[in-house]
Amino acid sequence: MTHRQPAPREPWKSPKAEREGSPVRHALFPPSTRFRSRNRKRTSTEVSRVSNPVLPRERSHPMTSTRPTVEFDHHSPEFAADGDRISAELRSRCPVSWTESYDGFWVVASHQGVTESLRDRDRCSTKKTFTADGTPVGGVSIPAPPQPCNIPEETDPPEWDGYRGALNPHFSPTAIRRRRDRIEALTTEVINKVIEKGELDLVMDLANPVTALATLDLLGLPLNTWKFYAEPIHRITYEPYNAEVQAQIGQIFVQLLDIVKERRDNPRQGLIDDMIAVKIDGEHMPDEDLQALFWLMLLGGFDTTATLITGSLFWLDEHPENKQRLLTDDKLLQTATEEFVRWISPVAGLARTAAKDFQVEGQTVTAGERMLMMFRSANYDEKVFDNPEEVDLERFPNRHLGFGTGIHRCLGSHLARTIFQVVLRQVLTRMPDLKIDRAESHKIPDLGVVNSFIAMPATFTPGSRIPSGVCLD
């Protein structure tokens, strides 16, 4: 097995970032220079782009006579404010188009385009590497951030096969079913913390702690450390350049590496210990690979599932007539889970690099070119879903791409479904008259990658604590 090069001395920075003293940057966000200053006067072209952000034009291309090129920036305030309309226009006018933003990439907006590109494992690469001067190349984010790669998400076969093969048994439907009672107990105790107050923030007091606790419990980390991990991981989605948050993320990387080294010498019980013990092609994984793997477990396990929970409760706040049905009808809960994943699309899009020349939706993609797979846009494709902007709790079949598709399909999809269903039913049971303050509920300002809320305050009739068998203090 070919392993990555060891991480830099400060493991959350690339060598180049370390030399230049660059701030820690989260993998979900681009350098701040990519954001247009709100105080700067817009040019006439920019004014036109705001009123109609998708402006196709023809452009010569070495592989074809022309290709559609659009003005598009998934990290822009305009996309955050009107992304669904922009995506719909892309799908109707040029479902696979080129943009010059961030050094150029293909925007794949249609369901067909995303599925055709990703289901052939030889077409696209997620591998992330670094040039001699520390510049990141490739990976699943556009632009590529300076951190070491996320494992196994930013690896390709055959390296990917070893990592995913080692992880898959821990995330299978059978393995997650065995964890359901524990997830129930954790959720019960989280609700116990607020049930007597009659008010809570559904993000900070419910969704974030439950998803963090379930992830830490799987990894085998102390439950009373959940805030150390969860709070900065949540804040960095909307305060990526805050110095305090950057420092906290750095501490998480250091802590993970220390844990790996300590648990290698003193094994306990948890996914951390299982991954330390496993051999891939006869070799144990290096400490830095394990550090990157466990960081991805935290990153993927926290805010995305929390977004599914809060987004669903936000919808039910306007459609309370469905609450009782979701409590009593197990079949409906299953189809509703898939529909909420589709409609919310917690991960709006991720990047790939073309591994070879291929055709998709009439366009020729050249090896080495970057591509953005727009999962949320694909989930709203009118050619696949009737009335895609509406929630249909009985929608079936539901060929959504909310968990991605292809070999990098979400590893934790079964865990996410289980956490969501447990939390939803406990909330509907213990807080039946829950009312969200919609005016004070806010999403993060950059919706190009994740689609999460910063805050969602709510009130309810106070209730009583019930035994959980869990201590979080």
Side-chain angles (χ1 to χ4, degrees):
M1 179 180 179
T2 303
H3 293 295
R4 297 185 305 108
Q5 293 297 316
R9 179 173 60 84
E10 289 189 292
W12 62 93
K13 293 184 180 180
S14 71
K16 182 178 181 181
E18 185 175 43
R19 287 195 304 271
E20 297 178 355
S22 300
V24 180
R25 293 191 176 110
H26 188 267
L28 302 178
F29 288 88
S32 58
T33 54
R34 298 296 190 181
F35 290 92
R36 182 171 60 246
S37 169
R38 296 190 180 191
N39 297 322
R40 179 172 65 81
K41 184 177 180 181
R42 290 189 175 103
T43 65
S44 58
T45 300
E46 289 172 342
V47 171
S48 175
R49 188 191 309 175
V50 172
S51 61
N52 184 8
V54 182
L55 303 174
R57 65 180 184 273
E58 297 302 316
R59 173 186 174 90
S60 62
H61 183 252
M63 300 298 296
T64 59
S65 58
T66 60
R67 64 175 172 180
T69 303
V70 297
E71 300 286 353
F72 176 83
D73 181 357
H74 53 306
H75 294 296
S76 68
E78 290 78 25
F79 188 79
D82 206 14
D84 286 341
R85 184 186 69 81
I86 294 170
S87 298
E89 189 169 356
L90 282 169
R91 290 193 304 272
S92 66
R93 298 178 64 179
C94 38
V96 177
S97 53
W98 179 262
T99 179
E100 297 290 352
S101 298
Y102 308 112
D103 301 321
F105 62 92
W106 288 98
V107 184
V108 186
S110 67
H111 191 282
Q112 178 181 334
V114 173
T115 54
E116 284 186 3
S117 298
L118 295 185
R119 286 185 177 167
D120 180 347
R121 65 185 274 162
D122 297 323
R123 278 190 169 189
C124 293
S125 167
T126 65
K127 190 173 184 63
K128 181 178 178 180
T129 59
F130 290 88
T131 63
D133 69 349
T135 301
V137 178
V140 297
S141 298
I142 293 177
Q147 294 96 329
C149 72
N150 295 324
I151 291 178
E153 187 177 32
E154 293 181 320
T155 63
D156 289 337
E159 187 178 13
W160 174 92
D161 296 292
Y163 291 127
R164 195 66 181 250
L167 287 166
N168 279 342
H170 300 274
F171 292 89
S172 69
T174 300
I176 299 306
R177 277 195 297 271
R178 290 197 295 264
R179 303 198 66 82
R180 189 179 186 99
D181 288 346
R182 182 65 170 170
I183 295 168
E184 290 274 9
L186 293 170
T187 304
T188 297
E189 187 58 26
V190 169
I191 294 178
N192 279 346
K193 295 286 186 181
V194 297
I195 194 66
E196 297 174 334
K197 299 177 182 178
E199 62 180 11
L200 82 165
D201 185 302
L202 289 167
V203 177
M204 301 305 297
D205 298 325
L206 177 71
N208 279 8
V210 170
T211 55
L213 288 165
T215 304
L216 295 184
D217 197 53
L218 174 65
L219 289 171
L221 292 173
L223 298 182
N224 61 6
T225 64
W226 75 268
K227 289 185 180 180
F228 170 79
Y229 298 101
E231 291 185 355
I233 287 176
H234 176 61
R235 285 182 64 193
I236 206 165
T237 62
Y238 61 92
E239 294 183 288
Y241 309 112
N242 180 286
E244 178 187 19
V245 178
Q246 292 170 355
Q248 290 172 336
I249 294 297
Q251 291 169 6
I252 290 176
F253 272 87
V254 171
Q255 177 78 349
L256 289 175
L257 192 59
D258 289 344
I259 288 170
V260 168
K261 292 178 178 178
E262 194 275 329
R263 299 277 276 267
R264 196 181 287 280
D265 295 331
N266 301 288
R268 301 177 196 171
Q269 288 188 336
L271 181 60
I272 284 177
D273 308 277
D274 294 334
M275 291 300 101
I276 288 173
V278 76
K279 288 186 177 181
I280 301 176
D281 294 339
E283 298 180 17
H284 290 293
M285 283 185 270
D287 290 352
E288 292 79 9
D289 283 15
L290 290 163
Q291 175 201 43
L293 187 152
F294 300 138
W295 165 250
L296 182 60
M297 297 297 104
L298 299 176
L299 192 64
F302 286 16
D303 256 34
T304 50
T305 308
T307 297
L308 178 60
I309 293 168
T310 52
S312 302
L313 291 172
F314 199 73
W315 183 84
L316 284 169
D317 182 68
E318 282 198 322
H319 303 85
E321 68 277 6
N322 293 285
K323 290 183 177 181
Q324 188 60 35
R325 296 174 62 212
L326 289 169
L327 267 177
T328 59
D329 189 334
D330 291 343
K331 182 178 179 181
L332 180 67
L333 181 62
Q334 300 302 319
T335 57
T337 299
E338 302 308 311
E339 178 67 348
F340 282 130
V341 173
R342 180 199 70 83
W343 184 72
I344 296 165
S345 296
V347 177
L350 292 173
R352 298 291 190 270
T353 304
K356 61 182 180 181
D357 297 353
F358 64 92
Q359 291 273 337
V360 58
E361 291 271 46
Q363 303 302 321
T364 299
V365 179
T366 304
E369 290 181 327
R370 297 283 278 155
M371 307 175 72
L372 178 66
M373 305 297 169
M374 297 180 65
F375 296 130
R376 180 176 172 89
S377 177
N379 284 339
Y380 280 60
D381 194 328
E382 301 83 352
K383 294 181 179 179
V384 178
F385 305 99
D386 294 333
N387 302 314
E389 69 285 350
E390 300 295 329
V391 172
D392 178 359
L393 298 182
E394 299 181 31
R395 190 185 297 272
F396 185 85
N398 193 335
R399 297 192 297 122
H400 70 77
L401 303 180
F403 292 121
T405 189
I407 65 171
H408 288 281
R409 188 180 184 277
C410 177
L411 173 68
S413 60
H414 301 301
L415 178 60
R417 289 185 179 101
T418 299
I419 294 172
F420 167 73
Q421 291 171 5
V422 167
V423 173
L424 182 65
R425 281 197 162 170
Q426 285 211 28
V427 169
L428 296 181
T429 300
R430 300 182 70 184
M431 305 174 183
D433 61 348
L434 183 77
K435 186 61 182 175
I436 294 172
D437 186 344
R438 304 179 75 85
E440 293 300 319
S441 298
H442 304 291
K443 283 194 171 184
I444 63 175
D446 181 340
L447 300 179
V449 179
V450 292
N451 183 31
S452 60
F453 282 87
I454 296 174
M456 189 182 292
T459 57
F460 57 93
T461 300
S464 302
R465 297 170 63 94
I466 60 177
S468 68
V470 172
C471 179
L472 303 181
D473 298 322

